[in-house]
Amino acid sequence: MDYIFDTGSELGHHHLDHLGKLLDTPTTWRLERLGLRSDMRCLELGAGSGSIANWLAARTREVVAVDIDTAQLYDVAPGVQVIRHDLRDGLPVDGPFDLIHARLTMLHLPQREELFGRLVEALAPGGRLVFGDITDRPLEAIAVPEPADRDLWDKVLHLSHEVVSPARGISWTWARETADRMTTAGLVDIEIMEYSQTTTGGTDGCLLHRNLNQQAEPLLLAAGATPAELTRYRALMTNPDFKAWFYQFLMTSGRRRSGV
Ligand SMILES: C[S@@+](CC[C@H](N)C(=O)[O-])C[C@H]1O[C@@H](n2cnc3c(N)ncnc32)[C@H](O)[C@@H]1O
């Protein structure tokens, strides 16, 4: 199964820009508190725009940034090595790494369990594995311009999350399974950080929903959405009278024992 979105497209560029604005602050807050050192070697998987790879490069020795589509990795900092590679085929580079980070990447990969095993093996003694992924916690609409918009929101999200994305290999349970998998793999110091916020029409969270809806349009129409519903939904995502919960984002981290 191929990745559902088109990273190299203009919509893909805006998609990554919205993600950075929504999640770079909580992501870097967490990574900083997990501990960074200037001698660390880092691996950034599904690097997207490179915003986190660049941030890590300013604080560590070396960053390897991997993505199936490197079109948006055109402005990387010195110290970032970009590798174009399909992670469904495993890792393109040998460890050991002191930090391996993947945000909103593992949930997209049907081969995530095999890759997870390879990532644990690629950790240096004492190295950290950090995943940031979203969950299927329901995205409740808090305010809608018209009563019928609530049903429209629920229908479009149902088609997106329960019909279209599982057919493309996306897992909505991975984020909550990660900590147990880390335990089973022998990692220690396993912690989860949760981040969530509301989003209002016209702001990054709603504009991201609109963007993903545009990228997945053929799949949504095939799943039973009508063109009129998609048009109304996209208008709703720019309407400041609309407000809903945005995705629950979990950052799960674990550490390989020192000396193992
Ligand atoms: C949702 S985006 C997240 C990007 C970035 N990590 C962020 O959070 O801003 C998923 C990223 O994973 C990449 N990707 C998807 N499937 C991949 C695969 N099979 N191998 C490598 N990268 C992949 C996409 O190109 C995209 O950059």
Side-chain angles (χ1 to χ4, degrees):
M1 273 171 283
D2 291 334
Y3 180 52
I4 188 168
F5 302 120
D6 182 358
T7 298
S9 66
E10 196 179 336
L11 280 172
H13 172 81
H14 291 299
H15 174 181
L16 296 173
D17 188 49
H18 294 311
L19 286 180
K21 288 177 177 148
L22 288 160
L23 296 176
D24 278 4
T25 298
T27 301
T28 55
W29 185 90
R30 185 65 186 146
L31 290 174
E32 198 145 48
R33 273 146 194 85
L34 287 170
L36 298 172
R37 297 183 319 269
S38 57
D39 63 346
M40 285 172 88
R41 183 173 186 235
C42 308
L43 178 62
E44 171 73 3
L45 298 173
S49 70
S51 60
I52 297 301
N54 284 344
W55 184 87
L56 285 171
R59 291 157 179 82
T60 62
R61 174 170 60 87
E62 182 187 342
V63 180
V64 180
V66 178
D67 205 292
I68 194 171
D69 184 340
T70 53
Q72 309 297 349
L73 286 166
Y74 51 79
D75 192 18
V76 295
V80 177
Q81 180 193 359
V82 173
I83 300 181
R84 183 179 186 127
H85 174 78
D86 186 341
L87 289 165
R88 290 173 295 185
D89 298 332
L91 276 184
V93 59
D94 290 330
F97 289 97
D98 303 294
L99 172 68
I100 300 178
H101 172 247
R103 186 173 78 190
L104 303 177
T105 300
M106 296 297 278
L107 86 167
H108 282 288
L109 299 173
Q111 293 80 353
R112 64 189 71 80
E113 293 195 22
E114 294 93 301
L115 182 62
F116 175 77
R118 292 291 324 281
L119 297 179
V120 170
E121 287 167 14
L123 283 175
R128 283 197 196 271
L129 185 54
V130 185
F131 295 125
D133 284 299
I134 52 176
T135 75
D136 57 358
R137 189 164 78 184
L139 304 183
E140 188 192 342
I142 297 166
V144 286
E146 305 289 339
D149 290 328
R150 199 175 290 279
D151 287 342
L152 174 68
W153 166 252
D154 288 342
K155 177 177 175 179
V156 173
L157 288 192
H158 166 76
L159 292 177
S160 302
H161 296 158
E162 286 164 52
V163 181
V164 169
S165 45
R168 283 303 189 98
I170 293 172
S171 171
W172 293 102
T173 57
W174 169 260
R176 279 182 277 100
E177 294 164 8
T178 313
D180 282 350
R181 288 181 192 277
M182 286 184 175
T183 304
T184 304
L187 300 187
V188 296
D189 295 346
I190 297 162
E191 301 289 350
I192 305 173
M193 180 198 80
E194 173 182 336
Y195 175 78
S196 61
Q197 63 177 101
T198 57
T199 180
T200 300
T203 68
D204 278 295
C206 282
L207 294 177
L208 178 66
H209 278 305
R210 185 173 186 273
N211 177 300
L212 303 183
N213 185 275
Q214 288 173 288
Q215 291 195 65
E217 177 172 306
L219 301 171
L220 287 163
L221 292 172
T226 67
E229 285 171 335
L230 296 188
T231 301
R232 174 67 189 165
Y233 172 86
R234 289 174 198 165
L236 205 53
M237 293 304 101
T238 61
N239 187 331
D241 293 334
F242 177 83
K243 189 185 291 292
W245 275 101
F246 193 63
Y247 292 104
Q248 179 191 36
F249 174 68
L250 301 183
M251 272 181 88
T252 307
S253 55
R255 189 175 61 77
R256 182 169 171 175
R257 287 178 198 277
S258 304
V260 176

